Amino acid sequence: SQYYILLKGLLSGKMAVDVPRILLVDDSVTTLKMQKRMLERCLQAHLMPHVEVDVAKDGRQACDFVQAMSAHGRSYAFITMDLSMPVIDGLVASELIRIHM
């Protein structure tokens, strides 16, 4: 699968959260589980266990998660987005997130 990585929040200094959050978006449950496990191990290895990881199964759910975070004055440190998904694909979802955030 190809992934589009949207870096925001931590790199731009716009994080309004105490605990950074990462959003993984993919329509494959297996891929999401693997990505989450690898990311959590990496965070533990780099002594960053206080990063929270959320998962979304499609672009629409990703947009909803980002909107909900924004409504509470929060944002994701970064988002990984599968390009080919049902409901809303990764490219469209990434553009919607950029426009509205």
Side-chain angles (χ1 to χ4, degrees):
S1 258
Q2 296 177 334
Y3 291 91
Y4 178 82
I5 299 176
L6 172 63
L7 292 174
K8 58 183 286 194
L10 285 178
L11 297 179
S12 68
K14 294 181 182 176
M15 287 296 292
V17 297
D18 295 327
V19 177
R21 296 181 81 96
I22 296 170
L23 179 60
L24 306 176
V25 188
D26 199 302
D27 57 325
S28 167
V29 174
T30 303
T31 301
L32 281 173
K33 286 180 182 179
M34 180 188 66
Q35 285 182 338
K36 186 173 182 180
R37 188 174 329 121
M38 287 174 36
L39 182 58
E40 287 171 343
R41 286 180 184 167
C42 180
L43 292 169
Q44 290 283 336
H46 292 288
L47 303 174
M48 299 176 64
H50 301 295
V51 176
E52 295 184 19
V53 180
D54 296 331
V55 296
K57 63 182 177 181
D58 58 52
R60 173 77 265 155
Q61 191 175 43
C63 290
D64 291 344
F65 281 17
V66 170
Q67 186 175 24
M69 290 283 285
S70 181
H72 290 95
R74 302 177 74 184
S75 64
Y76 285 100
F78 71 85
I79 299 168
T80 66
M81 186 84 66
D82 186 356
L83 295 180
S84 177
M85 295 181 292
V87 186
I88 297 179
D89 71 39
L91 290 175
V92 173
S94 295
E95 186 63 27
L96 289 171
I97 289 168
R98 272 192 239 115
I99 289 170
H100 296 289
M101 298 299 125

